[in-house]
Amino acid sequence: MTNTLIHLLLMLFMPPLLFGVIGKTKAAFSGRVGAPYLQPYHDLFRLWRKGAVFSSSTTFLFRAGPIVSLAAIVTAGLLIPLGSHLPPLSFTGDMIFFAYLLALARFFTMAAALDTGSSFEGMGAAREASFACLAEPTLFFALVVLARLSGSLTLSSMLTGSFSRSWDTTGAAIVLLVAALFVVLLVENCRIPFDDPTTHLELTMIHEVMVLDHSGPLFGFIQYGATLKLFILGAFFLNIALPFSCCNDMANWLFFIAAMLALAISIGVIESVMARLRLLRIPQLLVAATILAAFALVLILS
Amino acid sequence: MTGIASFSLTLVLLATLLAALSGTPAFFTSRWPRLRQYFSISLMFMAAMAGLSAAGTVLLTGQSDIATLFWSLPFGAIAFHLDPLAALFLLPIFIVTPLATLYGRHYWPAEHNCRSERQLSLFSGVLTAAMTLVVIANNVVLFLIAWEIMALAAWFLLTAEDDKREVRRSGTVYLIATHCGTLLLIPLFLLLGDANLNLPAAGTLDASSSSATLLFFLALFGFGVKAGIMPLHIWLPAAHANAPSHVSAVMSGVMLKIGLYGIIRFLTLHQQLPIWWGWVLLALGTLSALLAIASALGQHDLKRLLAYSSIENIGIITMGLGTVIVATDLGLPQVALLAAAALTFHILNHALFKPLLFFGAGSIMHATGTRNLERLGGLHRRMPATATLFLMGTLAISTLPPLNGFASEFLLYTSLFTAVATGNTFAVLALAIPLVALALVGGLALTCFVKVYAMTFSGHPRSQDAAEAHESSRFILIPMVILALLSLAAGIIPLAPVWLLDAASQAIIPSTMGSKFHFPPISLLSGVMGGFWALLGILLLVIILYLLRRHQGEAAGTTWDCGYLVPSPRIQYTPSSFSELLIKLLSGIVKPRFHHPVLRGIFPTDTLFTSTVPERELKGVIFPLMSGIRERSARLRALQHGQLHLYILYILATLIILLTWAYL
């Protein structure tokens, strides 16, 4: 019971802190002080208090987009085990539901973007659609590997079972899987090298340009949804990369929080040392990730 | 053969009769057009009530009935067999066809289209009756006669507007293709039929005999042409694009399934299926799905795109069928059960959301006069009801929760994941590929249908036609509402349809017999229903949060236009530009054609850029082959000179040769 409560509290309140940590890391690399750690919370609160401006070209879909995508991401958050604790919602086949909840969020974000009738949002939606459907096979190969290793079809037993601790027997496959899933993490959350979250040039954006016309509380929903998506996919990734299960629950929670912050720092480091790839190279990298995941499957079978 | 079962068969025969009669006034007279159309609508609805209640009863009780009428056809008796598998296919027939007839009242009104409407009325009824007879036929001759009537009725329906060249061409290609299929089916049935030319009972044929392979390929190609499995789909895109929308809905939602019925019925006749049949079906299904959705991405024609998407869904159902066979032979009964439940559920679901999309396309065509996506846009303001209903169809076909497309694909995914988690190494490697291909197909379908919805209904109108659109009338909207509600219900409460179709799923699995309730699909779906309710609950919370802050004020503005003073609808992303990145990535498979404008001089004049994704197989393989054959056989045309006395000489010569041969 307390675990479920902590799961919900962490899921709802920790994600913006990750963006703050990423910002501080990038600032450290560029010799700045940077925005405070809690700046994203201030931003969200500011957006909450604002009014909104809606384009006259938009319809109900523009308002429905952020609402449905946030609801889908929050529901997906209920399915992921954080650390080694069981999630609140778990049933056989929930990993398929998880993947398609993210697809639902993506559909409504793209539909809301195209609803404005602007070429900027159209461009963002076109790029997002192309890259996201190339990332799906990687995720499913990873789920196949996890299903095979754990012999079960629930996210909770796939990610928190004892098999995943066996780096000594399946280490090579897990290394490949971790590499492929890190690529998926970066592309789904629109980080460098796939998309630059701080660029101000519309022609170089993917996710940022899709939400160009949103404002007010709905824009707050979108920003918060982005942080929550990073949190959820980061938790998914950490369960495979750093499976650690110790003595008592509290130690596990603290380790999970520390691991998430470390993941945020590593994303910040990557954003600081790499530049965004040319758009033509992104599909190549995504296909490479799929092949890595396929090799991981072959390795665990032999 | 109990009382209930034979009563159901009587109901189905009554439904067939009513459907066949529904169009007959159109055959006799062209007077009283409105009355005739209302008459055919009411008869079709009565037929539907009879047929659906019979099908429901057979599915719920799981009993089957065989009956023979006292008349006889040439070479065969009229024998019927109504079992749960047939009842499964009666559901799409009797749900979609009356709605299509209702839709036709305002979409193709009799008083405005005198000549073509009579054809449509008459042959809609005949098509429905023929499809029902195909599904319940137990006699080989009856099956073939009904199959041929179905094919011809569909041809008459799709060439309703035969003053247009495109319609005539697509009708010709369809006619040739379906007759090539029938050509393969005739030897198949002659080899299958027993002494009375009845079909053998289920589970009696031996699949290891020498002729079984030949029969399998005859069935696969013969029925595959009708079902639209690649590479036999060549007639599908053009036929569905050029037919009237309610005819496309019936063809896509129902007639393709009748092709699948043939394959499934053929497979259930055997007692043990060889595993390589399953691999062939799995491979064909996966390739079909991938190639079709890749081609769909590049289409501008809304109905062609929907036709390619139908091929994709038929590919998914074929994948399910292949999985059933493979899993049964690999000793994974749970996987087979789940895959069978997935494929029966998807047969029903596709028959719900694909006609919804075609009806929406018809509504758009009715309002704007065009089905070219490049000329649509901003229709949400002019046609809000159509937009909302089309959105539901789009969500369903993109397999997004909580609608029915997701529910059936969820079952298929779970069956493949179960095989991967519990099977041996070979099973894992071989079944992981279709699983990942299914994920890729899902992603591409999402892209494709976001494009379709957004380019049609969102943004600004791209042409004058779209700017002057009007909402369609209620007879066009009511069938869409019914299908949308059914899709939503089947999605949010998937337990009910899967439980209903359980008897049909059992009939597909040869070795599993016994209890009526099969726990794996039912308990899986209760789990995912919990997920749906969680999603809907959280959605409600988020909506409440949004509504709490609305009072702060919502101002109206314009879309961010980067400072342009005069933005125009032409700066929006077009359908071609939306899918350009993916089409270029997939250009090896899809082979798009780009016609680039040639710009000369300092002040070039207006020019045109076009991009198309042609039907590769038809234009690249079949047409050149046919032209080559025609050229090489040009010499033989000397025999066709048109002189009557020489033709009589040919007949005399043939007679003399045959008589001398008979005497030798």
Side-chain angles (χ1 to χ4, degrees), chain B residues 259-601:
Chain B
L260 284 175
Y261 165 77
I263 299 178
I264 298 178
R265 175 67 79 189
F266 172 76
L267 292 173
T268 57
L269 293 177
H270 296 82
Q271 52 195 128
Q272 180 127 38
L273 296 166
I275 196 171
W276 68 271
W277 290 13
W279 292 127
V280 166
L281 283 171
L282 201 53
L284 276 182
T286 315
L287 281 175
S288 233
L290 275 173
L291 293 175
I293 196 65
S295 302
L297 269 172
Q299 304 297 325
H300 313 298
D301 184 338
L302 176 56
K303 284 166 67 177
R304 256 185 107 95
L305 193 150
L306 291 176
Y308 274 110
S309 164
S310 292
I311 303 177
E312 175 229 333
N313 279 289
I314 297 288
I316 292 177
I317 299 175
T318 315
M319 275 171 75
L321 192 55
T323 311
V324 170
I325 300 174
V326 166
T328 317
D329 279 332
L330 286 179
L332 299 167
Q334 185 126 343
V335 177
L337 208 57
L338 285 172
L343 86 97
T344 51
F345 196 23
H346 204 71
I347 287 174
L348 181 62
N349 285 338
H350 187 243
L352 290 177
F353 56 67
K354 189 43 75 64
L356 169 61
L357 288 171
F358 268 109
F359 287 160
S363 175
I364 294 168
M365 278 181 66
H366 185 74
T368 60
T370 175
R371 58 181 202 247
N372 188 353
L373 284 173
E374 310 269 348
R375 310 194 63 72
L376 299 172
L379 289 179
H380 192 286
R381 299 177 173 283
R382 318 281 311 186
M383 310 168 67
T386 306
T388 317
L389 294 166
F390 199 89
L391 180 63
M392 298 206 42
T394 309
L395 288 174
I397 201 169
S398 316
T399 62
L400 293 174
L403 284 154
N404 54 355
F406 174 72
S408 51
E409 275 216 7
F410 176 78
L411 285 175
L412 186 58
Y413 271 119
T414 321
S415 79
L416 289 169
F417 266 109
T418 312
V420 159
T422 56
N424 62 4
T425 310
F426 174 64
V428 174
L429 279 176
L431 290 176
I433 297 175
L435 203 159
V436 174
L438 198 58
L440 184 59
V441 163
L444 290 173
L446 187 95
T447 310
C448 187
F449 281 95
V450 162
K451 177 187 98 171
V452 168
Y453 182 81
M455 296 299 157
T456 316
F457 293 105
S458 302
H460 299 282
R462 292 184 181 83
S463 70
Q464 199 56 28
D465 295 325
E468 292 165 357
H470 58 279
E471 182 60 270
S472 305
S473 58
R474 60 181 188 286
F475 276 14
I476 292 183
L477 291 175
I478 289 176
M480 289 171 67
V481 169
I482 294 176
L483 287 174
L485 288 176
L486 283 174
S487 297
L488 192 60
I492 297 187
I493 316 173
L495 276 181
V498 171
W499 183 69
L500 179 68
L501 299 175
D502 187 50
S505 319
Q506 281 190 61
I508 299 180
I509 307 171
S511 55
T512 315
M513 285 171 235
S515 70
K516 177 152 173 4
F517 294 100
H518 285 261
F519 293 103
I522 309 279
S523 65
L524 262 185
L525 288 174
S526 4
V528 81
M529 269 172 65
F532 288 165
W533 291 114
L535 173 64
L536 291 173
I538 294 176
L539 185 61
L540 200 61
L541 280 175
V542 176
I543 292 176
I544 293 174
L545 272 180
Y546 165 65
L547 292 174
L548 282 175
R549 303 312 283 178
R550 272 184 81 177
H551 65 88
Q552 277 165 181
E554 293 182 353
T558 54
T559 307
W560 166 244
D561 49 12
C562 206
Y564 288 132
L565 285 175
V566 193
S568 108
R570 294 189 52 209
I571 64 171
Q572 293 175 99
Y573 249 53
T574 62
S576 330
S577 41
F578 190 85
S579 42
E580 184 204 1
L581 193 58
L582 272 175
I583 291 288
K584 286 214 170 122
L585 278 175
L586 297 169
S587 59
I589 308 172
V590 167
K591 295 262 189 306
R593 295 268 158 74
F594 297 105
H595 174 79
H596 291 279
V598 178
L599 299 171
R600 289 200 184 86

Side-chain angles (χ1 to χ4, degrees), chain A residues 67-124:
Chain A
I67 294 176
V68 177
S69 74
L70 181 62
I73 295 176
V74 171
T75 316
L78 294 177
L79 292 168
I80 288 282
L82 301 182
S84 49
H85 308 276
L86 297 178
L89 190 59
S90 172
F91 51 87
T92 314
D94 56 8
M95 69 279 191
I96 303 160
F97 188 50
F98 174 75
Y100 277 88
L101 279 173
L102 295 180
L104 179 68
R106 196 167 40 238
F107 179 95
F108 271 94
T109 312
M110 287 197 287
L114 289 165
D115 202 32
T116 56
S118 156
S119 47
F120 297 115
E121 274 96 337
M123 176 191 74

